[in-house]
Amino acid sequence: MSASYPRIGVALGGGSARGLTHIPYIEAMDELGLKPSVISGTSIGALIGAGWASGMSGRDIREHAFDVLGTMRTIAGKLWAIQLRGIGGILKNGISMQLDATTIVDSFTPPNFPLEFKDLKIPLYVVATDFQSWHQVVFNSGQLRPAIAGSIAIPSLFKPVTYANHILVDGGVVNPLPLDQADIDTDFLIGIDVNGDPSEGLTKTDHKALDIWFGSAQIMMHSLTAHMMAAYPPDMYIRPHVASFGAMEFWRVREIVEHAEKEKDRFKRILHQKVEDWIADRQEVLPS
C-alpha cells in the first residue's frame, strides 16, 4: 500500500457462526486493493482474522469455509474424527460433552496454516480471557493455534485451554470487539460487530434454555462493545443483521455469507470515500 494511504486497523468481533459474515467485508477490502496494517480478533474473529493475516484472500476464506462447513454431514464427520482420535482419553476419563478447542482449530484450518505469529504476513492480535485473573489476554507472538483455541473456547461448550500459564476461555467474555488492539499504530479504525441485535427476538416468548444462554451472552457482549466503542471510536462501524441465524448454525455458511454480501457494495462505497477523504485531508496545499 502506498505511503499516502492510511494504515488501517480492523477489529473482527466474536459471534460464533454469525462471524462468518466477516468474509464479504474482507472480500470488499480485497476488491478495493486495501490491506490492513493490523488485524485484531476475538473468538471466530480471531480464527478468520488469522486466515486473513496468513495471506488468504477473502475468496480463499470463503471457499475454505464452504468446504469444511458446507453441510451438517461434513461438520459431523470432522467432529466424529476428532472424537475417534481422542478415544484413548475417552476410555481413560469417560465421555466429555465439551469440545477440545485446540483440536477444532487443527481440524477446521487449512493444511498449511501457520504455526506461529511470526509466520503471518499481517500483524495479528488475538484476544482471549484468563479465567483465573478475570482479565483479557492478548497474543501476538509465539504459537498461533493455542492462542486462537483459547479465544474461541466458549464456556461450557469447549474445555478451557491451558496455554502460556493461563487458563483461557472465549475472548468475548471480556472484549467481543477488540478495537483497542486494532488501534495500535494505525490511522483508520474499522470495527465489524457480528454479535447481532435483538430484533428477531423482540416478540418471541417460547425461548429454549440454549436460547436464553446464548441470548444472555449477547446482551453482555453488546454492553461491553458499547464501552469499547466509547473508548476507541472506530472510523467505520459495521453491524450486519444476523439475528435470523443461530449462534451454532455453522452448516448454514452459504446462507450467512450470501446474506452479508448484500451490504458489501455499500461498505465498499463508504470505505472508498472515507479513505479518499482521509488522503485529501492530509495532502499539502501547494503554493500557486
Side-chain angles (χ1 to χ4, degrees), residues 16 37 41 100 128 176-177 182 186 193 196-197 200-201 223 246 259 268:
S16 300
S37 298
D100 184 303
L177 184 64
T186 53
D193 177 2
D197 57 66
E200 293 282 321
S223 178
H259 177 77
K268 281 172 66 175

Side-chain angles (χ1 to χ4, degrees), residues 81-122:
I82 290 167
Q83 290 294 91
L84 286 178
R85 284 205 295 275
I87 197 72
I90 290 172
L91 293 174
K92 184 178 177 182
N93 304 314
I95 295 173
S96 171
M97 295 304 290
Q98 291 183 304
L99 297 169
D100 184 303
T102 306
T103 312
I104 291 287
V105 172
D106 286 341
S107 298
F108 286 91
T109 48
N112 299 319
F113 201 67
L115 296 176
E116 298 194 20
F117 280 86
K118 67 179 177 58
D119 300 322
L120 299 173
K121 296 176 179 175
I122 300 170

Side-chain angles (χ1 to χ4, degrees), residues 151-257:
S151 187
I152 70 167
I154 298 170
S156 298
L157 184 62
F158 290 92
K159 290 182 285 188
V161 174
T162 303
Y163 174 60
N165 298 316
H166 300 285
I167 295 177
L168 302 171
V169 296
D170 193 306
V173 173
V174 288
N175 191 353
L177 184 64
L179 294 164
D180 55 332
Q181 302 305 312
D183 198 37
I184 296 171
D185 294 327
T186 53
D187 306 307
F188 192 94
L189 182 59
I190 300 172
I192 304 178
D193 177 2
V194 294
N195 183 44
D197 57 66
S199 58
E200 293 282 321
L202 288 175
T203 57
K204 186 176 177 181
T205 54
D206 58 334
H207 296 286
K208 299 182 178 67
L210 197 61
D211 295 335
I212 297 293
W213 193 92
F214 276 111
S216 299
Q218 278 182 282
I219 295 167
M220 175 195 72
M221 291 194 289
H222 175 73
S223 178
L224 289 169
T225 296
H227 287 289
M228 181 59 69
M229 287 179 63
Y232 297 89
D235 297 282
M236 281 192 73
Y237 170 68
I238 309 298
R239 188 169 79 167
H241 296 290
V242 291
S244 57
F245 300 104
M248 302 311 294
E249 292 180 337
F250 285 96
W251 61 89
R252 296 178 69 187
V253 56
R254 285 181 172 81
E255 286 178 74
I256 294 170
V257 171

Side-chain angles (χ1 to χ4, degrees), residues 49-159:
W52 195 11
S54 75
M56 293 176 75
S57 67
R59 174 62 63 176
D60 293 337
I61 297 170
R62 176 195 289 245
E63 289 174 357
H64 179 72
F66 286 1
D67 187 43
V68 299
L69 300 171
T71 66
M72 181 78 90
R73 178 178 291 181
T74 304
I75 297 171
K78 282 188 171 289
L79 293 177
W80 179 241
I82 290 167
Q83 290 294 91
L84 286 178
R85 284 205 295 275
I87 197 72
I90 290 172
L91 293 174
K92 184 178 177 182
N93 304 314
I95 295 173
S96 171
M97 295 304 290
Q98 291 183 304
L99 297 169
D100 184 303
T102 306
T103 312
I104 291 287
V105 172
D106 286 341
S107 298
F108 286 91
T109 48
N112 299 319
F113 201 67
L115 296 176
E116 298 194 20
F117 280 86
K118 67 179 177 58
D119 300 322
L120 299 173
K121 296 176 179 175
I122 300 170
L124 174 71
Y125 293 83
V126 169
V127 173
T129 302
D130 186 309
F131 185 72
Q132 292 172 298
S133 73
W134 296 8
H135 290 112
Q136 80 171 9
V137 184
V138 181
F139 297 98
N140 73 329
S141 63
Q143 294 181 64
L144 180 61
R145 295 174 190 228
I148 297 170
S151 187
I152 70 167
I154 298 170
S156 298
L157 184 62
F158 290 92
K159 290 182 285 188

